[in-house]
């Protein structure tokens, strides 16, 4: 039997890619309706006769096309396939997979809809004519993979003759990302733009756009040498020249790349593999900056470059090396900002705004969510991290507003943004409801603190040595939401802060419980609380050395406003000191609640963490706590008491849920509550309408109360893992004072979200305390 030949890595990738594209539905994009068309009424609204109404409106006022159609969020990706990256002139048909791929990147990273259009045109005039005819359909045009020098003329003509933004990503996308990388590389090596010397290898569209942009940012044109396949582009050269190369012809005696790179600071390669040799690299100035962006193989292998000159910065176009110059960092967010202000052009000011936004973002702490996308690799600003990662969701919320603002300031925005805070919330929603929801809470907390002149809440973190906790605190520092206090060994924690390079943690108070001046007082108080419950004085002293007990006592004695714990230990061990020292409120039960964001709904699940098999009274009280959280978030609650049956209540659990329903109706007659009912009945109004018209919940429940811990915990974790909704929490309810316990398996972002929700809880506690005081 003939031995099966082992595939090379590139062959294996090709095989996987072909299978990926061929699986049904073929290709990478589909059209999905944005409105339901499930009934005769909906069909008549979507098409004839209803569609005539928006047509008449647009005919009378053309700008209303943005109100009634997708134009404002639709981009054309247009190519003739004459210069496909790494493949050359393969023609429009073969270029289609690339254009479809561009389309999914627009959608994935910025929520922008795309039609890919591949043109079988022969001349510049034909290409321009087709694009001009498409202007009514699209909000913008992204030109792609068009050979130089035609691409320059095509873009210039379209920018002059169209009133929608036109952007040739191969030129300007590459230039923007490269410029951001250059700013940061120079920052790290303390090099100044107006003093560096730069050599380009490659003189195509991308190289020329890069050179123009970095010169506009401060690099002196006299310090830029451009080379092509014939060598240095010098004044008087005749061979293989055009007007675009002529722009960079300089007076020099150097004729080869080897000579050009000597004593220079920066090499930018947009050419072919292995053109920069180790000897050339050694001839550059100290601490050289090399951007070797030829694809798929760079101008010099990064491992070889680092071995040759260890103290250097290198970037490539590849994802398997640090510092990938990836255009996806640019074009989705740039178009997002341009579309949202109805910009007529993407001008130089907007491009520069994108450069600065990307460069500044790379200097910030990197969230865990980014590390998880890259096999938990830890990123810090430095020689191996000069650009944000493509899966850093903050790119959109930084770049798009910067571009939009630049469009407004430069006079090309037809619909200026009035409230950038709201705009950022909208952008966050493109990446999932959770980010937008948390941003709303942050803004709400800040507004109330300001209007009530409240001091920032003091929140103690018993797990001061938790990396996730430290990163979350550092991440929220600039929001000025709280005053954090850490418990643990101060020396150990400060060492950890230094190793993690957390710049915002310098003034954070760190307390060693056993060495605190309050330790003896706390031990005495705890002993007096528990001496008749089996706690000896010696045991009280030992327990109070535990940061969780110490933190709980700080809250009980009003030394702090809240406690957040749980990052390094299981839930039971975390909650025990809380219940022993602080205890539950007047309803005598603590419980856990998760917020679940599904499409345009906010749902509340309880109990998900504490009570294994609560009684009917317990469940009713849990529902009351959860409902009050919903009211606090300005959500009108509709409470469903869940079980495996609908409105019969014969078996143990259904009967219990039915009793709990009756208790809530007795306590709060005005609340919308019903049960027991199955989960699909609770959330699907059609089931209620068709089968249970007597049910009080006609619009779908948003407060879902489970009969036991099994069902509640399983439900929220299934939603979390299967991706059908975004989950926040769990959040602790029913305790006398503000406390939250994070999941040990949670991320830094989860801890940060818990901090934000705890700040909101502290405000609610303060308001309640003020009402109690005023009522006496």
């Amino acid at each position: 039997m003939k031995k099966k030949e082992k595939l090379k890595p590139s062959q294996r990738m090709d095989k996987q890619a072909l299978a990926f594209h061929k699986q049904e539905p073929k290709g990478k994009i589909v059209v999905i309706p944005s409105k339901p068309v499930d009934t005769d009424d909906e069909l008549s609204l979507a098409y004839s006769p209803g569609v005539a109404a928006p047509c008449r409106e647009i005919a009378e006022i053309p700008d209303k096309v943005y109100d009634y159609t997708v134009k404002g969020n639709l981009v054309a990706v247009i190519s003739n396939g004459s210069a496909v990256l790494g493949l050359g002139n393969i023609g429009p048909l073969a270029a289609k997979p690339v254009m479809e791929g561009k389309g999914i990147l627009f959608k994935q990273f910025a929520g922008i809809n795309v039609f890919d259009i591949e043109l079988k045109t022969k001349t510049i005039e034909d290409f321009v004519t087709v694009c001009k005819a498409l202007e009514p359909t699209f909000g913008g045009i992204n030109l792609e993979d068009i050979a130089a020098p035609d691409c320059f003329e095509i873009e210039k003509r379209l920018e002059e003759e169209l009133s929608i933004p036109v952007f040739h990503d191969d030129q300007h996308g590459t230039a923007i990302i490269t410029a951001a990388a250059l700013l940061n590389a120079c920052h790290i090596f303390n090099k100044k733009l107006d003093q560096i010397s730069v050599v380009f290898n490659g003189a195509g569209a991308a190289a020329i756009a890069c050179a123009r942009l970095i010169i506009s940012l401060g690099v002196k044109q006299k310090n830029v040498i451009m080379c092509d396949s014939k060598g240095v582009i010098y004044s008087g050269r005749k061979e293989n020249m055009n007007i675009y190369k002529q722009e960079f012809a300089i007076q020099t005696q150097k004729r080869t790349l080897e000579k050009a790179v000597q004593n220079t600071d920066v090499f930018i390669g947009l050419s072919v593999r292995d053109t920069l040799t180790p000897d050339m690299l050694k001839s550059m100035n100290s601490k050289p900056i090399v951007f070797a962006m030829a694809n798929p193989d760079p101008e010099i292998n990064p491992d070889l470059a680092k071995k040759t000159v260890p103290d250097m910065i290198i970037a490539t176009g590849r994802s398997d090396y640090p510092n990938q110059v990836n255009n996806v960092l640019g074009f989705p967010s740039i178009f997002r900002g341009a579309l949202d202000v109805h910009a007529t052009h993407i001008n130089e000011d907007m491009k520069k705004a994108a450069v600065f936004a990307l460069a500044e973002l790379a200097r910030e702490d990197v969230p865990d969510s980014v590390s998880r996308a890259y096999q938990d690799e830890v990123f810090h600003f430095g020689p191996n991290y000069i650009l944000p990662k493509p899966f850093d969701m903050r790119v959109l919320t930084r770049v798009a507003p910067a571009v939009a603002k630049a469009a407004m300031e430069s006079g090309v925005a037809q619909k200026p943004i009035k409230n950038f805070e709201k705009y950022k919330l909208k952008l966050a929603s493109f990446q999932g409801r959770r980010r937008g929801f948390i941003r709303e809470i942050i803004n709400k907390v800040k507004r109330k603190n300001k209007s009530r002149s409240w001091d920032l809440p003091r929140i103690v973190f018993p797990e001061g040595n938790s990396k996730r906790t430290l990163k979350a605190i550092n991440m929220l520092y600039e929001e000025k939401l709280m005053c954090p206090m850490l418990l643990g060994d101060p020396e150990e924690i400060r060492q950890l802060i230094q190793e993690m390079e957390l710049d915002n943690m310098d003034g954070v108070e760190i307390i060693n419980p056993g060495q605190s001046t309050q330790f003896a007082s706390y031990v005495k108080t705890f002993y007096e609380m528990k001496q008749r419950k089996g706690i000896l004085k010696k045991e009280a002293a030992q327990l109070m050395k535990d940061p969780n007990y110490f933190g709980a006592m700080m809250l009980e004695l009003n030394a702090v406003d809240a406690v957040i714990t749980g990052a390094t230990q299981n839930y039971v061990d975390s909650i025990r000191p809380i219940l022993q020292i602080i205890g539950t409120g007047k309803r005598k039960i603590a419980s856990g609640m998760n917020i679940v964001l599904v499409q345009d709904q906010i749902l509340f699940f309880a109990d998900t963490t504490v009570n294994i098999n609560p009684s009917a009274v317990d469940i009713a009280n849990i529902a009351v706590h959860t409902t009050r959280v919903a009211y606090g978030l300005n959500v009108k609650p509709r409470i469903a008491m869940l079980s495996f049956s609908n409105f019969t209540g014969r078996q143990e659990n259904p009967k219990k849920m039915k009793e709990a329903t009756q208790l809530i109706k007795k306590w709060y007659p005005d609340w919308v509550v019903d049960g027991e009912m199955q989960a699909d009945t609770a959330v699907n109004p059609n089931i209620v309408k068709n089968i249970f018209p007597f049910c009080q919940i006609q619009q779908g429940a948003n407060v879902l109360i489970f009969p036991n811990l099994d069902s509640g915990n399983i439900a929220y974790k299934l939603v979390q893992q299967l991706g059908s909704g975004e989950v926040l929490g769990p959040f602790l309810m029913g305790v006398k004072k503000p406390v939250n316990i994070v999941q040990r398996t949670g991320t830094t972002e989860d801890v940060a979200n818990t901090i934000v929700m705890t700040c909101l809880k502290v405000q609610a506690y303060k308001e309640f305390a003020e009402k109690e005081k005023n009522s006496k």
Side-chain angles (χ1 to χ4, degrees):
M1 185 175 176
K2 188 177 179 181
K3 188 176 180 182
K4 190 174 181 180
E5 187 176 346
K6 188 176 180 181
L7 294 176
K8 296 178 181 178
S10 60
Q11 293 173 319
R12 193 180 306 114
M13 173 64 79
D14 286 348
K15 187 176 180 180
Q16 291 172 345
L18 290 172
F20 174 80
H21 284 78
K22 194 174 182 180
Q23 68 187 15
E24 296 289 349
K26 292 180 172 60
K28 297 188 288 283
I29 56 175
V30 294
V31 176
I32 297 174
S34 62
K35 306 288 188 300
V37 190
D38 299 324
T39 67
D40 287 343
D41 288 344
E42 289 168 349
L43 181 59
S44 66
L45 291 172
Y47 201 57
S48 183
V51 73
C55 291
R56 285 192 292 267
E57 290 279 318
I58 295 166
E60 186 176 343
I61 306 173
D63 273 357
K64 287 198 172 183
V65 70
Y66 291 102
D67 295 330
Y68 297 122
T69 77
V70 75
K71 178 180 171 76
N73 194 41
L74 184 62
V75 165
V77 173
I78 306 181
S79 178
N80 60 9
S82 58
V84 178
L85 186 64
L87 298 172
N89 186 0
I90 59 175
L93 194 62
K96 186 170 177 61
V98 178
M99 305 312 131
E100 286 187 1
K102 199 82 172 188
I104 64 172
L105 297 179
F106 268 105
K107 189 67 175 179
Q108 179 73 22
F109 290 98
I112 296 171
N113 299 307
V114 162
F115 288 139
D116 62 293
I117 299 174
E118 295 74 33
L119 299 182
K120 193 177 181 180
T121 53
K122 299 293 185 184
T123 66
I124 290 174
E125 192 61 43
D126 289 345
F127 196 106
V128 169
T129 299
V130 173
C131 290
K132 287 173 64 178
L134 292 170
E135 183 181 14
T137 303
F138 296 99
I141 291 176
N142 183 92
L143 300 173
E144 194 75 19
D145 292 345
I146 304 166
D150 288 6
C151 62
F152 297 114
E153 181 65 22
I154 288 170
E155 185 185 44
K156 181 173 180 291
R157 288 275 308 275
L158 292 176
E159 283 184 334
E160 291 172 351
E161 298 175 33
L162 297 183
S163 59
I164 57 174
V166 177
F167 187 78
H168 185 202
D169 184 52
D170 302 312
Q171 290 185 62
H172 308 299
T174 305
I176 287 164
I177 314 308
T178 301
L182 182 62
L183 288 181
N184 280 342
C186 288
H187 179 84
I188 291 165
F189 280 165
N190 198 27
K191 295 175 185 278
K192 298 188 181 302
L193 288 182
D194 61 355
Q195 296 174 8
I196 62 171
S197 51
V198 183
V199 172
F200 281 87
N201 194 45
I208 287 169
C210 285
R212 286 172 174 170
L213 185 56
I214 66 170
I215 287 168
S216 74
L217 291 170
V219 175
K220 292 184 176 177
Q221 185 156 354
K222 68 178 183 178
N223 293 338
V224 175
I225 297 178
M226 190 170 286
C227 303
D228 62 9
S229 60
K230 303 299 180 183
V232 172
I233 296 172
Y234 58 90
S235 296
R237 197 182 100 170
K238 303 297 182 184
E239 186 181 10
N240 197 30
M241 291 291 286
N242 58 45
I243 59 171
Y244 306 104
K245 291 182 183 180
Q246 192 63 46
E247 182 182 337
F248 296 96
I250 63 167
Q251 294 285 348
T252 180
Q253 297 302 311
K254 298 177 180 180
R255 294 294 182 265
T256 65
L257 176 63
E258 183 179 10
K259 294 291 186 182
V261 298
Q262 290 176 5
N263 303 316
T264 57
D265 298 289
V266 181
F267 171 89
I268 299 177
L270 291 147
S271 53
V272 294
R273 64 180 293 175
D274 299 336
T275 49
L276 183 69
T277 67
D279 286 340
M280 291 182 194
L281 182 58
K282 288 178 185 176
S283 74
M284 295 177 69
N285 288 338
S286 62
K287 298 187 176 181
I289 298 166
V290 173
F291 297 165
M293 295 183 286
N295 260 318
D297 298 305
E299 283 81 358
I300 186 170
N301 178 279
D303 294 331
L304 175 61
K306 282 281 191 179
K307 184 178 178 181
T308 304
V309 181
D311 194 10
M312 69 172 297
I313 291 174
I314 184 164
T316 71
R318 295 178 58 134
S319 61
D320 52 348
Y321 289 104
N323 300 325
Q324 183 189 20
V325 178
N326 191 329
N327 286 19
V328 79
L329 289 170
F331 67 84
S333 301
I334 292 165
F335 265 99
R336 182 75 274 159
L339 291 174
D340 290 339
V341 294
H342 297 180
T344 56
H345 298 86
I346 296 175
N347 59 27
E348 293 306 304
D349 288 344
M350 295 159 76
K351 295 169 193 172
K352 289 181 184 178
V355 171
F356 293 129
L358 285 169
E360 289 164 9
L361 178 58
R363 300 179 193 185
E364 297 182 15
D365 290 332
V366 182
D368 279 359
S369 56
V370 178
S371 295
R372 287 202 310 275
Y374 296 90
Q375 292 77 51
D376 293 320
E377 186 177 351
V378 177
F379 302 107
H380 292 293
F381 181 61
N384 289 327
Y385 182 78
I386 58 174
L387 286 169
K389 290 292 182 180
F391 286 101
D392 189 334
M393 295 302 165
R394 299 172 301 169
V395 170
L396 178 64
T397 56
R398 302 301 177 82
V399 175
V403 169
K405 197 171 288 185
M408 291 161 57
E409 291 171 353
S410 60
V412 297
Q414 300 179 97
K415 184 186 175 185
I417 292 169
K418 296 177 181 177
N419 187 324
F420 270 90
E421 282 302 316
K422 285 186 178 178
Y423 179 56
K424 289 175 184 176
L425 288 176
K426 178 184 173 185
L427 292 174
S429 72
F430 287 124
Q431 305 162 331
R433 287 288 312 280
R434 181 166 61 176
R435 291 174 185 273
F437 177 83
I438 289 296
R439 174 47 59 184
E440 287 179 18
I441 301 299
I442 289 172
N443 293 342
K444 181 177 181 178
V445 168
K446 290 165 83 170
R447 282 195 302 269
K448 186 163 284 188
N449 277 340
K450 186 175 180 181
S451 67
R452 303 290 288 269
S453 299
W454 280 337
D455 292 334
L456 295 181
R458 301 156 298 166
I459 301 180
V460 66
F461 298 84
E463 298 152 309
N465 60 352
S466 162
K467 290 184 177 181
R468 284 176 294 136
T469 298
L470 294 174
K471 286 183 73 174
I473 295 169
N474 192 68
M475 195 165 77
L476 288 171
Y477 174 81
E478 291 184 1
E479 300 289 355
K480 293 184 170 52
L481 292 176
M482 58 157 179
C483 294
M485 299 170 70
L486 305 173
L487 300 185
D489 181 342
E491 189 175 337
E492 177 193 347
I493 294 170
R494 288 197 181 96
Q495 179 67 28
L496 199 56
I497 289 170
Q498 187 176 354
E499 289 172 2
M500 295 171 67
E501 299 178 2
L502 303 179
D503 299 331
N504 297 324
M505 303 287 285
D506 291 344
V508 174
E509 185 176 358
I510 304 172
I511 299 171
N512 186 327
Q515 297 175 5
S516 167
T517 55
Q518 299 299 317
F519 180 75
S521 171
Y522 287 5
V523 170
K524 181 175 181 292
T525 302
F526 183 54
Y527 175 65
E528 289 171 352
M529 290 169 64
K530 299 296 178 182
Q531 61 186 343
R532 293 182 180 274
K533 294 186 179 180
I535 296 290
L536 301 176
K537 195 165 188 178
K538 184 177 181 181
E539 188 179 358
Q542 191 62 35
L543 285 171
M544 202 48 59
K545 290 179 182 177
D546 181 333
N548 276 294
Y549 278 87
F550 192 90
M553 188 59 74
M554 291 179 77
L555 180 57
E556 175 65 13
L557 298 179
N558 299 317
V560 293
D561 299 301
V563 175
I564 297 176
T565 187
T568 62
Q569 57 190 338
N570 65 50
Y571 199 91
V572 173
D573 290 338
S574 299
I575 199 172
R576 186 181 295 115
I578 302 301
L579 296 179
Q580 285 185 3
I581 294 174
I582 299 167
T584 55
K586 69 177 184 178
R587 294 193 174 271
K588 304 299 181 186
I589 188 167
S591 60
M593 179 271 301
N594 285 82
I595 296 173
V596 179
L597 308 175
V598 181
Q599 296 175 354
D600 59 347
Q601 296 184 78
I602 301 177
L603 305 177
F604 303 86
F605 286 23
D607 175 17
T608 56
T609 59
V610 180
N611 300 282
I612 296 173
N613 190 22
S615 67
V617 174
D618 290 339
I619 287 169
N621 284 317
I622 290 166
V624 170
H625 288 149
T626 312
T627 300
R628 285 177 174 161
V629 172
Y631 274 124
L633 294 172
N634 298 320
V635 175
K636 188 175 181 180
R638 300 182 294 275
I639 311 150
M641 312 301 279
L642 302 181
S643 188
F644 60 78
S645 62
N646 285 306
F647 309 106
T648 56
R650 294 190 184 97
Q651 291 85 6
E652 181 183 351
N653 274 346
K655 186 177 180 181
K656 176 174 69 174
M657 300 307 285
K658 190 171 184 177
E659 290 175 8
T661 304
Q662 291 167 350
L663 283 171
I664 298 170
K665 287 181 176 181
K666 180 181 176 181
W667 298 339
Y668 301 97
D670 295 335
W671 284 8
V672 178
V673 57
D674 217 332
E676 93 293 358
M677 67 178 71
Q678 294 176 355
D680 55 349
T681 303
V683 298
N684 189 335
N686 288 330
I687 294 177
V688 171
K689 180 181 178 181
N690 295 326
I691 305 175
F692 307 109
F694 56 83
C695 179
Q696 288 192 16
I697 302 170
Q698 294 290 317
Q699 297 176 309
N702 51 22
V703 175
L704 304 178
I705 306 300
F706 295 87
N708 53 40
L709 187 57
D710 283 340
S711 56
N713 192 272
I714 289 168
Y716 97 79
K717 289 192 173 179
L718 277 176
V719 170
Q720 192 174 46
Q721 295 303 317
L722 296 178
S724 53
E726 296 179 83
V727 178
L728 291 99
F731 304 111
L732 189 60
M733 305 184 297
V735 177
K736 282 182 184 176
K737 294 186 177 183
V739 178
N740 269 314
I741 299 172
V742 301
Q743 291 186 91
R744 187 165 48 174
T745 56
T747 65
T748 296
E749 188 176 15
D750 292 328
V751 178
N753 292 341
T754 301
I755 293 171
V756 172
M757 295 299 291
T758 304
C759 291
L760 186 68
K761 186 184 283 192
V762 170
Q763 289 186 339
Y765 181 81
K766 285 181 178 179
E767 286 183 323
F768 179 78
E770 286 181 0
K771 285 178 183 177
E772 288 280 297
K773 183 179 178 181
N774 293 333
S775 66
K776 291 179 181 178

